[in-house]
Amino acid sequence: MVMSLHYSLYSNVKLPLFCYKPASEFGSKFHPNLFIKNSSEPECLNQLCPPANQSVAAIVFGDGSSHSRLYPLTKRRSEGAIPIAGNYRLIDAVVSNCINSNITKIYALTQYNSTSLNSHLSRAYSGARLSKEGFVEVIAAYQSPDDNGWFQGTADAIRRCLWLLEEYPVVEFLVLPGYHLYKMDYQKLIDTHRRSKADITVSVFGNKKGEDLGFGIFKLNDENLVLEFRENHEMSTRKSLSVENLVNFDDNEKCNFPSMGIYVINRNIMIKLLTEYFPTANDLKSELIPGAISLGMKIHAYQFNGYWEDMRTIEAYYRANMETIQKTNKAYNFHDRDSPLYTLPRHLPPTLVTDAVITDSVIGDGCILSKCRIKGTVVGMRTRIGDKAVIEDSVIMGSDTYHQTGISEGEHTSIPVGIGEGSIIRKAIIDKNARIGKNVMIINKDNVQDGNMEANGYIIAGGIIVIIRSAIIPDGSIL
Ligand SMILES: Nc1ncnc2c1ncn2[C@@H]1O[C@H](COP(=O)(O)OP(=O)(O)O[C@H]2O[C@H](CO)[C@@H](O)[C@H](O)[C@H]2O)[C@@H](O)[C@H]1O
């Protein structure tokens, strides 16, 4: 195989021309994927050339909406900061994908409720894992003499940060939503992008799910080139859409693919789109991408066929947590040696279990579990569960700190953080720092599908009871 990669589009980026050669041309000591870009520079083994850590910058969106689909989990935090699988936050999956794909220049653009996300990112990824010149830089929406107000959308956010994003002469920007759960080697996506010499490459989901709801849809030709894009505006209203709504876009369903919201955009194309062609556009999905198509730019699609959960509803978030306790983990592999999931080391003590019966569950660090029964449940860090409590098919997020039992300064209840003695919880999500009293039953007794009982500390979404962060559920309550 001989393949030349020419970066003719990148007038403002100075790069040598590169070529792939068969292993035989380099002699048998080289790996078949070896590519030598310059004899005086280190070899790139099994990776992109130029290597992703030098030529790609990731732009991760950690939040953005005051109308989040994951409310009330986003009442006090952005989507990316939502805990998952006991020890992690959602944004860890995307940042870990970047690190495992050798992309170490990562900008996280945040806006709403971003305090905990900013704190997590800056403490978890402060350089150690990111090699020389690697960073996760959190850029929270800010005001300056030139820019007033919040980020008006994804395109506006990138435009306002261009002065920073342009700092490194990368070849491509990789735009990523920050709260999807999946494993992707972005190097493959970028390799496809470079080989096709596209201006933009979008990632589409190859395994269309039966319950596909409200995705943006790309219509492709036989060569995976994008012909059209339609964003489903219903999505913003959080309505569930049927498959029929989804495929109305074209009679030929086979050429319609859901957008994953992931884009590789050549650096100079990004700059031109934002500053010359569409200088007032606010949104990538509804303005820049359709605009690029209308300008006749070359937009290629990369099909992804692995596990992907985009957390578009509370049910999806619940489902993703339940995947973590499957014995045959075909979904998201948390135990993957080759592409680990990173997070903030908390230095917590091991979980203390006294006489508890625990089956098919994941238990985070630093929990104190007494004579309780736990089945099919994700138990997050520092969770305290009292005697005789029974927890099934639930997500317990845990606590931010250890709390003393009894009333302490600043607290208005004697109910401690955690799950009280004799309580029964089934198919529920208990957000952090919630105080569930003794002999409480959280079982959705009236089998409600959707309901807002926020004043009482919970909502019900898709039949799942969600206890709001720091809510107090008094002794003996039955929900
Ligand atoms: N003003 C702002 N400031 C900061 N961050 C902001 C922001 N506005 C939005 N964001 C964040 O940017 C990311 C992309 O948001 P979008 O509104 O473009 O698309 P959405 O996630 O709805 O759908 C996308 O992802 C789905 C798949 O999940 C695709 O089908 C669909 O086509 C695609 O647009 C999200 O993480 C969002 O929270």
Side-chain angles (χ1 to χ4, degrees):
M1 172 188 71
V2 177
M3 186 180 166
S4 297
L5 296 181
H6 301 273
Y7 295 98
S8 55
L9 285 169
Y10 316 127
S11 48
N12 52 349
V13 180
K14 293 197 176 44
L15 284 169
L17 294 178
F18 302 96
C19 64
Y20 285 106
K21 290 187 178 184
S24 56
E25 288 189 32
F26 293 112
S28 57
K29 67 178 174 150
F30 293 109
H31 187 280
N33 289 336
L34 173 68
F35 171 74
I36 297 181
K37 70 170 185 173
N38 181 329
S39 54
S40 65
E41 294 189 28
E43 298 166 351
C44 317
L45 203 59
N46 245 347
Q47 63 182 14
L48 290 170
C49 268
N53 61 355
Q54 290 167 27
S55 57
V56 181
I59 302 172
V60 179
F61 284 102
D63 68 285
S65 165
S66 51
H67 309 289
S68 166
R69 296 184 281 264
L70 291 177
Y71 191 87
L73 304 181
T74 51
K75 187 169 178 173
R76 292 271 179 264
R77 60 166 89 80
S78 53
E79 281 96 341
I82 297 175
I84 181 133
N87 280 354
Y88 304 96
R89 306 255 188 177
L90 281 175
I91 198 149
D92 289 327
V94 172
V95 175
S96 299
N97 278 346
C98 287
I99 295 171
N100 294 330
S101 306
N102 195 30
I103 295 172
T104 56
K105 296 187 192 335
I106 304 168
Y107 297 92
L109 273 48
T110 67
Q111 176 155 271
Y112 292 98
N113 269 338
S114 54
T115 313
S116 59
L117 183 70
N118 296 353
S119 142
H120 176 76
L121 285 174
S122 46
R123 287 190 297 151
Y125 302 99
S126 56
R129 290 192 188 94
L130 293 165
S131 71
K132 210 172 97 191
E133 293 190 6
F135 55 82
V136 177
E137 180 138 353
V138 180
I139 313 178
Y142 62 91
Q143 301 197 16
S144 71
D146 304 327
D147 292 314
N148 293 318
W150 293 104
F151 293 152
Q152 300 302 305
T154 42
D156 181 57
I158 298 175
R159 186 185 296 107
R160 288 189 191 207
C161 300
L162 264 184
W163 64 275
L164 244 179
L165 301 173
E166 284 184 288
E167 192 179 355
Y168 292 94
V170 295
V171 183
E172 294 101 356
F173 290 116
L174 172 63
V175 179
L176 301 164
Y179 50 90
H180 296 180
L181 187 67
Y182 63 106
K183 284 197 177 185
M184 185 190 288
D185 183 351
Y186 298 135
Q187 292 183 105
K188 291 185 183 161
L189 164 67
I190 291 157
D191 186 46
T192 305
H193 172 78
R194 291 181 181 178
R195 283 167 190 265
S196 68
K197 300 189 174 71
D199 297 312
I200 298 174
T201 296
V202 299
S203 184
V204 297
F205 191 48
N207 295 335
K208 233 196 266 182
K209 291 181 278 188
E211 73 274 30
D212 285 351
L213 304 171
F215 295 111
I217 300 293
F218 284 105
K219 178 178 169 187
L220 310 181
N221 73 7
D222 292 342
E223 286 154 359
N224 279 334
L225 282 175
V226 170
L227 303 175
E228 279 177 66
F229 174 65
R230 177 127 344 145
E231 186 63 31
N232 211 321
H233 296 294
E234 295 289 327
M235 194 153 66
S236 56
T237 65
R238 284 186 268 165
K239 278 187 192 154
S240 290
L241 298 176
S242 66
V243 177
E244 293 83 72
N245 291 125
L246 182 76
V247 297
N248 266 348
F249 175 36
D250 196 288
D251 293 332
N252 182 3
E253 201 184 319
K254 275 189 230 146
C255 61
N256 292 335
F257 286 89
S259 163
M260 296 177 73
I262 297 172
Y263 316 106
V264 182
I265 306 183
N266 290 343
R267 172 197 160 104
N268 65 330
I269 292 292
M270 177 79 98
I271 294 169
K272 281 189 175 150
L273 284 170
L274 289 170
T275 58
E276 283 179 37
Y277 302 137
F278 306 105
T280 58
N282 285 331
D283 205 28
L284 267 175
K285 64 180 178 191
S286 61
E287 295 173 88
L288 243 58
I289 298 293
I293 296 172
S294 69
L295 289 175
M297 287 187 174
K298 185 170 182 187
I299 306 185
H300 198 264
Y302 171 83
Q303 270 190 47
F304 178 72
N305 294 308
Y307 170 82
W308 174 59
E309 183 57 79
D310 77 337
M311 307 290 167
R312 60 186 38 240
T313 55
I314 290 284
E315 294 99 297
Y317 170 76
Y318 173 81
R319 200 167 53 227
N321 273 282
M322 291 298 112
E323 295 286 0
T324 67
I325 57 180
Q326 300 304 318
K327 279 187 204 130
T328 53
N329 198 338
K330 289 194 184 127
Y332 186 93
N333 185 358
F334 285 85
H335 304 97
D336 187 344
R337 189 194 60 179
D338 296 330
S339 60
L341 181 59
Y342 301 106
T343 192
L344 173 67
R346 275 104 174 173
H347 311 295
L348 285 170
T351 282
L352 176 66
V353 180
T354 38
D355 226 2
V357 179
I358 303 172
T359 46
D360 301 332
S361 297
V362 165
I363 311 292
D365 296 338
C367 301
I368 301 174
L369 311 176
S370 302
K371 293 181 188 169
C372 55
R373 242 178 45 221
I374 301 173
K375 185 166 173 259
T377 290
V378 173
V379 179
M381 281 175 297
R382 302 187 193 89
T383 297
R384 190 193 293 253
I385 301 183
D387 285 356
K388 297 196 184 112
V390 177
I391 324 277
E392 290 175 358
D393 306 323
S394 294
V395 181
I396 315 289
M397 288 191 190
S399 165
D400 284 325
T401 52
Y402 287 115
H403 293 245
Q404 300 297 323
T405 47
I407 302 180
S408 57
E409 210 183 328
E411 292 183 357
H412 310 290
T413 175
S414 58
I415 300 175
V417 171
I419 316 293
E421 283 169 28
S423 287
I424 298 179
I425 299 177
R426 266 189 213 115
K427 201 173 178 188
I429 298 172
I430 313 293
D431 204 335
K432 275 201 173 166
N433 305 339
R435 295 162 188 264
I436 313 295
K438 294 180 185 169
N439 302 313
V440 168
M441 294 178 84
I442 301 177
I443 53 174
N444 196 0
K445 69 175 163 51
D446 297 323
N447 201 16
V448 175
Q449 274 309 291
D450 293 290
N452 188 339
M453 275 64 94
E454 211 171 322
N456 298 329
Y458 67 101
I459 65 129
I460 305 180
I464 302 162
I465 295 196
V466 185
I467 303 290
I468 293 170
R469 187 186 162 97
S470 304
I472 301 169
I473 308 295
D475 294 351
S477 307
I478 304 182
L479 318 180

